Amino acid sequence: MLSSFELLEPTTVQEAAGLLERYGDEARVYAGGAELILLMRYGLVDATYLVNVKTISGLGGLVAGEDALRVGSIVTHRALELDAAVRKGWPLLAAAESHVGNIRVRSQGTLGGNLCFADPHADPPTALLVYEASVTIEGSGGSSWLPLSEFLRGTYETALQPAELLVEIEVPRLPSGWTAAFARTERFYRPTANAAVAIDLRAGAIAGARLAVGCVGPTAMRLPQLESELAGLTPAEAGRRVMDARAYLSRQLDPVDDLLGSAEYKSYIAGVLLARAIGQAAGTEGANGHG
Amino acid sequence: MAEPRAIVTLDCTVNGERWHGEVPVEEVLLDFLRARLGLTGAKRSCESEVCGACTVLVDGQPMSSCSFLAFEVHGKQVTTIEGLTCEGRLDPLQEAFMRNVASQCGYCTPGQILAAKALLAANPSPTYEEVGEWLSGNLCRCGCYPSIAESILEVARAQSAS
Ligand SMILES: Cc1cc2nc3c(=O)[nH]c(=O)nc-3n(C[C@H](O)[C@H](O)[C@H](O)COP(=O)(O)OP(=O)(O)OC[C@H]3O[C@@H](n4cnc5c(N)ncnc54)[C@H](O)[C@@H]3O)c2cc1C
Ligand code: FES
Ligand code: FES
């Protein structure tokens, strides 16, 4: 049994922000509840009031524009996984979404809830960092816009201030001609580690690369130094380079031991997944899939 | 500004029949179905959205009723295993599960069958791999996976032949 609480159903973001201010620590934002209901059941979160953001109009948009995809915070993983425009224009995001938990979690959970919870063992952030996504957050003082890399601060920690909501996620397209792949390994549903890669392959050599690794450190991270080292390499050479970069990866990613693996294993597997994703993005290795 | 509510009205359809009444906001769909409506086909097991024993369909989509609040089904159609029987006749998936002995203890079976029902509605001719992928969130602790998959593929073949 869940302990009792009361439900608040605002219809605008400003009303929700006002409710969060009024009820302070006693209130929690409730989106899909896929995470929150479990936290409340296990006594990890104690909330007297739940503010249902699904009753706010305008948070459920999913618009594929010329330059960017705009995702309202309450769009579910399942909607993103299945949307034809997302699969075509943002395949890395669709792939990451298709790996989340199981089909029931994907139907219940939202992208906004995933990002706001900031569980290090998450899939969408890794893909979103490669697209250089940004987020819009809003409170009673107005709205602000910041890169996802600044929104994700640490383990279960974001840039959200009390009484602020995540409103929208903006996902630019990759530059034209780039190819991308997502690789993941899991135990017990949640990813042990994942990697997202996009490359610009010209005449067999890498002209540009974006690499991100998730679940290894406190947040998903881009790897700028390694990205620049891949310039001019063939995909096979690039695969070997990332595998050899274990010392850099463990410095950069700040891995921690947890139930899903030791820190040492995680920096090793990060290299393996990056190499695999580079191969897939270059079309030299089989289709996207589970590790 | 919205006022807090501890109890809300709920108007939904369960297995084709309308239900109208009030529920506490913290009541999960599983308790609503089992305790309030006496529909005990959906089972409680992990209570963590992992095992799928509590799977029911909400507007045709599989959901973890253990962790989904009942008020969320307002205006929606809920289908439980009890709702698959039509005029006393079992659903072809139920027949196939029996024929192939796709259960041992049977605890996971209602969830498996409902997940399979949603799969065949979305994809009438799934491959073995697609069955595995779709049902990866429905655990069978007795390990009846081969006969569960075979039952689903059998029904898919029969339905595409007819
Ligand atoms: C069995 C299981 C397996 C899972 N596997 C995976 C996996 O493989 N990969 C993965 O990435 N995730 C996984 N998850 C996590 C889950 O998918 C996400 O955390 C989920 O999407 C949460 O979204 P929600 O809408 O349900 O959030 P909720 O549970 O409603 O909220 C989560 C948190 O975010 C806050 N919040 C929600 N929306 C907003 C908003 N708009 N503004 C401000 N704060 C907000 C809430 O207050 C709460 O603290 C799994 C979860 C389960 C239960
Ligand atoms: S009891 Fe709901 S998923 Fe296991
Ligand atoms: S038949 Fe026993 S759990 Fe599946």
Side-chain angles (χ1 to χ4, degrees):
Chain A
M1 283 280 268
L2 284 172
S3 52
S4 62
F5 59 84
E6 296 189 35
L7 183 69
L8 289 153
E9 302 207 300
T11 54
T12 64
V13 173
Q14 282 305 313
E15 186 186 354
L19 290 167
L20 290 169
E21 270 168 7
R22 176 187 293 176
Y23 295 102
D25 283 352
E26 291 184 312
R28 276 288 186 141
V29 172
Y30 163 80
E35 204 68 68
L36 192 59
I37 298 300
L38 301 189
L39 297 172
M40 289 170 67
R41 172 172 293 135
Y42 300 135
L44 298 170
V45 163
D46 188 19
T48 312
Y49 302 98
L50 293 192
V51 179
N52 187 2
V53 288
K54 298 196 299 305
T55 49
I56 299 175
S57 60
L59 293 189
L62 181 57
V63 181
E66 272 300 290
D67 302 326
L69 175 73
R70 309 180 90 86
V71 188
S73 65
I74 63 167
V75 173
T76 62
H77 300 299
R78 188 82 179 129
L80 287 162
E81 171 192 7
L82 294 179
D83 187 85
V86 176
R87 292 166 76 114
K88 185 157 183 291
W90 292 267
L92 211 46
L93 178 60
E97 291 291 2
S98 75
H99 287 293
V100 170
N102 56 48
I103 192 163
R104 303 184 308 278
V105 171
R106 297 200 291 279
S107 296
Q108 185 174 348
T110 66
L111 179 56
N114 184 289
L115 299 178
C116 291
F117 188 54
D119 187 329
H121 289 281
D123 292 294
T126 315
L128 290 172
L129 287 182
V130 165
Y131 288 112
E132 304 189 336
S134 55
V135 297
T136 304
I137 58 189
E138 189 174 331
S140 51
S143 72
S144 55
W145 181 93
L146 73 168
L148 180 66
S149 54
E150 291 170 28
F151 177 79
L152 298 171
R153 289 258 169 96
T155 306
Y156 306 120
E157 200 191 322
T158 67
L160 277 179
Q161 297 298 311
E164 278 185 339
L165 298 176
L166 172 60
V167 173
E168 189 179 76
I169 301 98
E170 187 184 311
V171 195
R173 287 181 193 272
L174 288 174
S176 76
W178 286 53
T179 55
F182 184 79
R184 179 190 200 262
T185 176
E186 70 178 28
R187 280 175 70 200
F188 319 129
Y189 293 124
R190 301 201 192 221
T192 302
N194 55 32
V197 162
I199 54 172
D200 181 18
L201 200 59
R202 297 197 191 173
I206 291 177
R210 296 183 189 175
L211 310 175
V213 168
C215 317
V216 173
T219 68
M221 254 179 256
R222 282 282 294 273
L223 303 163
Q225 189 190 323
L226 198 52
E227 290 174 6
S228 59
E229 284 175 23
L230 301 190
L233 304 184
T234 64
E237 288 165 346
R240 281 194 293 277
R241 178 68 62 93
V242 296
M243 289 284 288
D244 288 342
R246 213 181 312 168
Y248 166 77
L249 288 174
S250 83
R251 248 190 344 270
Q252 199 69 16
L253 297 170
D254 195 11
V256 287
D257 293 326
D258 65 20
L259 282 175
L260 297 175
S262 66
E264 191 189 351
Y265 167 74
K266 288 196 217 164
S267 38
Y268 169 73
I269 205 72
V272 172
L273 293 175
L274 283 169
R276 191 176 293 167
I278 290 170
Q280 285 171 4
T284 53
E285 219 183 85
N288 235 331
H290 285 276
Chain B
M1 228 186 242
E3 286 301 320
R5 288 179 302 160
I7 291 176
V8 290
T9 49
L10 171 60
D11 198 338
C12 62
T13 306
V14 180
N15 298 333
E17 280 181 41
R18 180 160 174 231
W19 191 89
H20 180 87
E22 294 194 319
V23 292
V25 291
E26 71 271 16
E27 185 161 304
V28 294
L29 185 56
L30 183 64
D31 290 329
F32 171 75
L33 295 168
R34 290 182 61 93
R36 215 173 270 278
L37 272 58
L39 297 170
T40 54
K43 303 289 186 260
R44 184 189 316 275
S45 183
C46 72
E47 290 195 292
S48 308
E49 301 161 41
V50 168
C51 76
C54 67
T55 303
V56 300
L57 305 183
V58 176
D59 282 351
Q61 298 306 311
M63 297 300 284
S64 302
S65 65
C66 67
S67 305
F68 192 56
L69 296 173
F71 78 80
E72 295 278 8
V73 303
H74 184 70
K76 299 191 168 161
Q77 311 253 2
V78 180
T79 308
T80 71
I81 193 71
E82 290 87 347
L84 288 197
T85 321
C86 183
E87 289 168 1
R89 289 189 42 204
L90 294 178
D91 186 270
L93 279 164
Q94 292 172 303
E95 299 273 10
F97 268 61
M98 285 168 62
R99 204 164 46 244
N100 292 298
V101 199
S103 67
Q104 184 174 306
C105 74
Y107 205 76
C108 71
T109 313
Q112 303 283 1
I113 291 178
L114 288 165
K117 192 83 189 156
L119 165 64
L120 294 183
N123 178 359
S125 310
T127 61
Y128 181 84
E129 286 69 27
E130 286 167 340
V131 170
E133 182 61 32
W134 188 282
L135 277 104
S136 68
N138 287 84
L139 306 185
C140 177
R141 318 279 183 187
C142 300
C144 300
Y145 298 111
S147 46
I148 291 171
E150 184 45 36
S151 303
I152 297 166
L153 292 169
E154 212 174 274
V155 172
R157 281 193 297 270
Q159 289 182 344
S160 61
S162 66

